[in-house]
Amino acid sequence: MPCGSCGSDCTWRTPIPGCLWAGSTSGCSPISMMVIKKLVFDEARVPFGALKDALDDNFSSNPGLHALVQKKVPRFGSGSEDALNMANALTKLIHDLYSSRRNFRGGRYTSGFWSMSQHVAYGSLSGALPSGRLSSKAFTPGLTPHPGASKSFLDNIRDVARLDPVNMDNNMAFNVKLTPSPRDASEDIVNVMHSYVRTYFDQGGMQMQFNVVKSETLKDAMANPENYRNLLVRISGYNAYFVTLNTDMQIELIERTEYGI
Protein backbone atom coordinates (compact mmCIF):
# COMPACT_ATOMS: atom_id res chain seq x y z
CA MET A 1 0.00 0.00 0.00
CA PRO A 2 1.70 3.24 -1.10
CA CYS A 3 2.07 6.24 1.20
CA GLY A 4 -0.09 9.09 -0.17
CA SER A 5 2.47 11.81 0.49
CA CYS A 6 5.58 10.16 -0.93
CA GLY A 7 4.42 7.22 -3.03
CA SER A 8 6.58 4.72 -1.13
CA ASP A 9 5.45 1.41 0.30
CA CYS A 10 4.22 1.94 3.87
CA THR A 11 5.90 -1.29 5.03
CA TRP A 12 9.24 0.47 4.59
CA ARG A 13 8.18 3.36 6.80
CA THR A 14 6.61 1.54 9.74
CA PRO A 15 8.07 2.53 13.13
CA ILE A 16 7.64 -1.08 14.37
CA PRO A 17 9.78 -3.39 12.21
CA GLY A 18 8.89 -6.65 13.97
CA CYS A 19 7.09 -9.65 12.50
CA LEU A 20 4.93 -12.30 14.11
CA TRP A 21 5.15 -16.08 14.09
CA ALA A 22 1.82 -17.55 15.15
CA GLY A 23 1.22 -21.24 15.55
CA SER A 24 0.62 -24.03 18.00
CA THR A 25 2.94 -26.26 19.98
CA SER A 26 -0.40 -27.63 21.20
CA GLY A 27 -0.91 -30.16 23.96
CA CYS A 28 0.37 -32.80 21.52
CA SER A 29 3.97 -31.58 21.36
CA PRO A 30 5.02 -31.76 25.02
CA ILE A 31 3.23 -35.10 25.39
CA SER A 32 5.00 -36.49 22.33
CA MET A 33 8.37 -35.42 23.72
CA MET A 34 7.44 -36.87 27.13
CA VAL A 35 6.59 -40.21 25.49
CA ILE A 36 10.00 -40.36 23.83
CA LYS A 37 11.82 -39.22 26.97
CA LYS A 38 10.00 -41.52 29.41
CA LEU A 39 9.27 -44.68 27.43
CA VAL A 40 12.20 -44.75 25.00
CA PHE A 41 15.05 -43.28 27.07
CA ASP A 42 14.29 -43.13 30.81
CA GLU A 43 12.50 -46.47 31.19
CA ALA A 44 13.62 -48.19 27.96
CA ARG A 45 10.20 -49.84 27.68
CA VAL A 46 9.71 -49.07 23.98
CA PRO A 47 12.44 -49.21 21.32
CA PHE A 48 12.46 -46.10 19.16
CA GLY A 49 12.06 -48.25 16.05
CA ALA A 50 8.91 -49.83 17.45
CA LEU A 51 7.47 -46.40 18.21
CA LYS A 52 8.25 -45.23 14.67
CA ASP A 53 6.62 -48.35 13.19
CA ALA A 54 3.49 -47.71 15.26
CA LEU A 55 3.34 -44.11 14.02
CA ASP A 56 3.81 -45.21 10.42
CA ASP A 57 0.73 -47.46 10.56
CA ASN A 58 -1.33 -45.17 12.80
CA PHE A 59 -1.00 -47.54 15.78
CA SER A 60 -3.26 -50.05 13.98
CA SER A 61 -0.87 -52.99 14.56
CA ASN A 62 0.06 -51.96 18.10
CA PRO A 63 -3.04 -50.90 20.06
CA GLY A 64 -1.27 -51.80 23.29
CA LEU A 65 1.36 -49.14 22.67
CA HIS A 66 -1.37 -46.68 21.78
CA ALA A 67 -3.02 -47.32 25.14
CA LEU A 68 0.34 -47.09 26.94
CA VAL A 69 1.25 -43.64 25.61
CA GLN A 70 -2.22 -42.33 26.42
CA LYS A 71 -2.47 -43.71 29.95
CA LYS A 72 1.05 -43.97 31.39
CA VAL A 73 2.79 -40.76 30.34
CA PRO A 74 2.30 -37.45 32.24
CA ARG A 75 0.53 -34.81 30.19
CA PHE A 76 0.84 -31.05 30.16
CA GLY A 77 -2.25 -29.81 31.98
CA SER A 78 -2.29 -32.72 34.42
CA GLY A 79 -0.26 -31.05 37.16
CA SER A 80 2.89 -33.00 36.29
CA GLU A 81 6.06 -30.98 36.93
CA ASP A 82 7.95 -32.96 34.27
CA ALA A 83 5.32 -32.28 31.60
CA LEU A 84 5.22 -28.58 32.50
CA ASN A 85 9.01 -28.36 32.24
CA MET A 86 8.81 -29.99 28.80
CA ALA A 87 6.19 -27.48 27.64
CA ASN A 88 8.35 -24.59 28.85
CA ALA A 89 11.40 -26.07 27.10
CA LEU A 90 9.51 -26.32 23.81
CA THR A 91 8.10 -22.79 23.94
CA LYS A 92 11.58 -21.48 24.77
CA LEU A 93 13.10 -23.40 21.86
CA ILE A 94 10.58 -21.89 19.42
CA HIS A 95 10.87 -18.39 20.88
CA ASP A 96 14.68 -18.44 20.81
CA LEU A 97 14.77 -19.76 17.26
CA TYR A 98 12.50 -17.08 15.83
CA SER A 99 13.86 -14.20 17.90
CA SER A 100 17.36 -14.98 16.64
CA ARG A 101 16.27 -14.20 13.06
CA ARG A 102 15.68 -10.82 11.44
CA ASN A 103 12.92 -10.02 8.98
CA PHE A 104 13.27 -8.03 5.77
CA ARG A 105 12.82 -4.74 7.66
CA GLY A 106 15.54 -5.58 10.16
CA GLY A 107 13.18 -6.28 13.07
CA ARG A 108 12.97 -9.47 15.07
CA TYR A 109 10.26 -12.10 15.07
CA THR A 110 7.94 -12.52 18.05
CA SER A 111 6.24 -15.78 18.98
CA GLY A 112 2.47 -16.09 19.26
CA PHE A 113 1.05 -19.42 20.40
CA TRP A 114 -2.47 -18.95 19.07
CA SER A 115 -3.42 -21.17 16.18
CA MET A 116 -6.63 -19.59 14.82
CA SER A 117 -7.79 -22.61 12.75
CA GLN A 118 -4.34 -23.88 11.72
CA HIS A 119 -4.47 -26.67 14.31
CA VAL A 120 -7.27 -28.31 12.34
CA ALA A 121 -5.88 -27.62 8.87
CA TYR A 122 -2.36 -28.80 9.66
CA GLY A 123 -3.66 -31.70 11.72
CA SER A 124 -5.56 -32.98 8.69
CA LEU A 125 -2.25 -33.15 6.80
CA SER A 126 -0.19 -34.77 9.55
CA GLY A 127 0.44 -38.38 10.51
CA ALA A 128 0.15 -39.96 13.94
CA LEU A 129 2.20 -38.55 16.83
CA PRO A 130 3.90 -40.20 19.81
CA SER A 131 1.28 -38.51 22.02
CA GLY A 132 -1.27 -41.00 20.71
CA ARG A 133 -2.98 -38.49 18.44
CA LEU A 134 -4.01 -40.37 15.31
CA SER A 135 -3.35 -39.44 11.70
CA SER A 136 -5.38 -36.53 10.30
CA LYS A 137 -6.88 -35.60 13.68
CA ALA A 138 -6.77 -31.95 14.75
CA PHE A 139 -3.99 -30.73 17.00
CA THR A 140 -5.05 -29.04 20.21
CA PRO A 141 -5.28 -25.26 19.70
CA GLY A 142 -2.71 -22.77 20.93
CA LEU A 143 -1.23 -23.83 24.26
CA THR A 144 -4.38 -25.57 25.45
CA PRO A 145 -3.77 -28.86 27.29
CA HIS A 146 -4.67 -31.99 25.37
CA PRO A 147 -8.26 -33.26 25.88
CA GLY A 148 -8.25 -35.68 28.77
CA ALA A 149 -5.04 -34.35 30.32
CA SER A 150 -6.85 -34.09 33.65
CA LYS A 151 -10.32 -34.45 35.10
CA SER A 152 -9.66 -31.26 37.07
CA PHE A 153 -9.85 -27.88 35.35
CA LEU A 154 -7.63 -26.51 38.13
CA ASP A 155 -4.74 -28.68 36.87
CA ASN A 156 -5.14 -27.04 33.44
CA ILE A 157 -5.18 -23.58 35.01
CA ARG A 158 -2.08 -24.15 37.13
CA ASP A 159 0.01 -25.57 34.29
CA VAL A 160 -0.90 -22.98 31.66
CA ALA A 161 -0.42 -20.13 34.17
CA ARG A 162 3.10 -21.40 34.92
CA LEU A 163 4.28 -21.22 31.31
CA ASP A 164 7.06 -18.64 31.02
CA PRO A 165 5.53 -15.48 29.44
CA VAL A 166 8.95 -14.41 28.15
CA ASN A 167 8.63 -17.14 25.52
CA MET A 168 5.17 -15.95 24.42
CA ASP A 169 5.90 -12.35 23.51
CA ASN A 170 2.98 -12.24 21.07
CA ASN A 171 0.56 -13.92 23.47
CA MET A 172 -1.07 -17.35 23.42
CA ALA A 173 -4.48 -19.05 23.39
CA PHE A 174 -5.88 -21.08 26.26
CA ASN A 175 -9.23 -22.47 25.12
CA VAL A 176 -11.67 -23.58 27.80
CA LYS A 177 -15.07 -25.28 27.60
CA LEU A 178 -17.06 -24.60 30.80
CA THR A 179 -20.65 -25.76 30.60
CA PRO A 180 -23.20 -24.66 33.20
CA SER A 181 -26.04 -26.96 34.16
CA PRO A 182 -29.63 -25.76 33.61
CA ARG A 183 -29.92 -26.00 37.40
CA ASP A 184 -27.10 -23.49 38.01
CA ALA A 185 -28.25 -20.01 38.96
CA SER A 186 -26.91 -17.19 36.77
CA GLU A 187 -25.24 -15.46 39.70
CA ASP A 188 -23.49 -18.69 40.72
CA ILE A 189 -22.24 -19.24 37.18
CA VAL A 190 -20.76 -15.74 37.00
CA ASN A 191 -19.15 -16.08 40.44
CA VAL A 192 -17.55 -19.45 39.65
CA MET A 193 -16.23 -18.29 36.28
CA HIS A 194 -14.89 -15.14 37.92
CA SER A 195 -13.08 -17.26 40.52
CA TYR A 196 -11.49 -19.44 37.84
CA VAL A 197 -10.34 -16.43 35.82
CA ARG A 198 -9.06 -14.56 38.88
CA THR A 199 -7.13 -17.63 40.07
CA TYR A 200 -5.58 -18.09 36.63
CA PHE A 201 -4.40 -14.50 36.31
CA ASP A 202 -3.25 -14.32 39.93
CA GLN A 203 -0.93 -17.24 39.14
CA GLY A 204 0.54 -15.47 36.12
CA GLY A 205 -1.78 -16.51 33.29
CA MET A 206 -1.80 -14.42 30.11
CA GLN A 207 -5.04 -15.18 28.28
CA MET A 208 -8.12 -17.39 28.54
CA GLN A 209 -11.12 -17.78 26.23
CA PHE A 210 -14.35 -19.63 26.86
CA ASN A 211 -17.00 -21.71 25.18
CA VAL A 212 -20.05 -22.36 27.34
CA VAL A 213 -21.92 -24.69 24.99
CA LYS A 214 -22.24 -28.40 25.75
CA SER A 215 -20.91 -30.97 23.30
CA GLU A 216 -24.39 -32.47 23.01
CA THR A 217 -25.71 -29.11 21.83
CA LEU A 218 -22.94 -28.85 19.25
CA LYS A 219 -23.69 -32.36 17.99
CA ASP A 220 -27.34 -31.42 17.57
CA ALA A 221 -26.27 -28.29 15.71
CA MET A 222 -24.27 -30.45 13.29
CA ALA A 223 -27.34 -32.61 12.65
CA ASN A 224 -29.87 -29.75 12.56
CA PRO A 225 -28.02 -26.59 11.48
CA GLU A 226 -31.27 -24.79 10.63
CA ASN A 227 -32.02 -24.59 14.36
CA TYR A 228 -28.67 -23.05 15.33
CA ARG A 229 -27.91 -20.35 12.79
CA ASN A 230 -27.06 -17.82 15.53
CA LEU A 231 -24.88 -20.11 17.64
CA LEU A 232 -21.50 -18.37 18.13
CA VAL A 233 -18.44 -20.31 19.32
CA ARG A 234 -14.86 -19.42 20.15
CA ILE A 235 -12.23 -21.10 17.97
CA SER A 236 -8.68 -20.04 18.90
CA GLY A 237 -8.42 -16.28 18.64
CA TYR A 238 -11.69 -15.53 16.89
CA ASN A 239 -15.45 -16.18 16.97
CA ALA A 240 -17.52 -17.91 14.30
CA TYR A 241 -21.02 -19.18 13.69
CA PHE A 242 -20.82 -22.90 14.42
CA VAL A 243 -22.96 -24.01 11.48
CA THR A 244 -20.69 -22.19 9.00
CA LEU A 245 -17.58 -24.11 10.09
CA ASN A 246 -16.32 -27.12 8.17
CA THR A 247 -16.89 -30.58 9.64
CA ASP A 248 -13.33 -31.03 10.93
CA MET A 249 -13.50 -27.75 12.84
CA GLN A 250 -16.90 -28.64 14.30
CA ILE A 251 -15.59 -32.02 15.48
CA GLU A 252 -12.55 -30.40 17.12
CA LEU A 253 -14.85 -28.10 19.12
CA ILE A 254 -17.02 -31.03 20.17
CA GLU A 255 -14.02 -33.09 21.32
CA ARG A 256 -12.56 -30.38 23.57
CA THR A 257 -12.56 -31.31 27.24
CA GLU A 258 -15.79 -30.20 28.89
CA TYR A 259 -15.74 -29.05 32.50
CA GLY A 260 -18.77 -28.30 34.62
CA ILE A 261 -19.21 -25.09 36.61
Side-chain angles (χ1 to χ4, degrees), residues 43-95:
E43 299 178 0
R45 295 176 65 180
V46 179
F48 191 81
L51 177 60
K52 182 181 182 302
D53 290 343
L55 299 181
D56 288 344
D57 74 356
N58 205 29
F59 290 99
S60 61
S61 62
N62 201 337
L65 179 56
H66 191 232
L68 181 66
V69 301
Q70 291 185 300
K71 302 297 184 183
K72 298 299 183 180
V73 177
R75 296 182 170 236
F76 171 63
S78 69
S80 163
E81 200 71 22
D82 287 343
L84 173 63
N85 290 339
M86 183 64 75
N88 269 317
L90 287 172
T91 55
K92 184 179 188 304
L93 175 68
I94 292 169
H95 168 269

Side-chain angles (χ1 to χ4, degrees), residues 48-252:
F48 191 81
L51 177 60
K52 182 181 182 302
D53 290 343
L55 299 181
D56 288 344
D57 74 356
N58 205 29
F59 290 99
S60 61
S61 62
N62 201 337
L65 179 56
H66 191 232
L68 181 66
V69 301
Q70 291 185 300
K71 302 297 184 183
K72 298 299 183 180
V73 177
R75 296 182 170 236
F76 171 63
S78 69
S80 163
E81 200 71 22
D82 287 343
L84 173 63
N85 290 339
M86 183 64 75
N88 269 317
L90 287 172
T91 55
K92 184 179 188 304
L93 175 68
I94 292 169
H95 168 269
D96 291 353
L97 174 64
Y98 279 96
S99 65
S100 69
R101 300 289 190 265
R102 290 294 179 264
N103 62 44
F104 73 100
R105 294 193 298 265
R108 71 181 187 88
Y109 287 92
T110 59
S111 298
F113 294 89
W114 36 274
S115 53
M116 297 171 286
S117 57
Q118 297 170 13
H119 59 287
V120 174
Y122 293 159
S124 69
L125 302 173
S126 301
L129 294 180
S131 65
R133 173 202 154 273
L134 296 177
S135 177
S136 301
K137 293 287 290 184
F139 299 127
T140 51
L143 283 170
T144 304
H146 193 274
S150 175
K151 295 180 179 180
S152 172
F153 179 45
L154 290 176
D155 285 336
N156 280 197
I157 285 178
R158 282 190 290 263
D159 279 8
V160 178
R162 292 174 63 197
L163 292 169
D164 189 347
V166 170
N167 300 323
M168 302 175 285
D169 46 358
N170 206 284
N171 216 322
M172 49 83 76
F174 176 25
N175 296 283
V176 175
K177 189 194 287 184
L178 284 180
T179 56
S181 163
R183 297 183 297 276
D184 293 329
S186 296
E187 184 175 352
D188 292 339
I189 294 170
V190 172
N191 288 337
V192 170
M193 293 184 72
H194 171 266
S195 296
Y196 279 139
V197 172
R198 182 63 180 266
T199 298
Y200 173 67
F201 286 111
D202 282 350
Q203 294 189 40
M206 292 180 66
Q207 185 267 11
M208 179 187 286
Q209 50 192 327
F210 290 98
N211 278 300
V212 292
V213 184
K214 286 184 173 294
S215 296
E216 290 304 315
T217 301
L218 298 178
K219 290 176 183 178
D220 192 51
M222 284 187 73
N224 303 286
E226 67 280 2
N227 297 331
Y228 295 90
R229 299 201 180 279
N230 295 320
L231 177 59
L232 272 174
V233 291
R234 188 72 175 173
I235 311 302
S236 185
Y238 71 100
N239 297 330
Y241 289 106
F242 182 79
V243 298
T244 67
L245 299 170
N246 64 47
T247 300
D248 289 340
M249 188 74 252
Q250 290 178 331
I251 291 173
E252 190 275 317

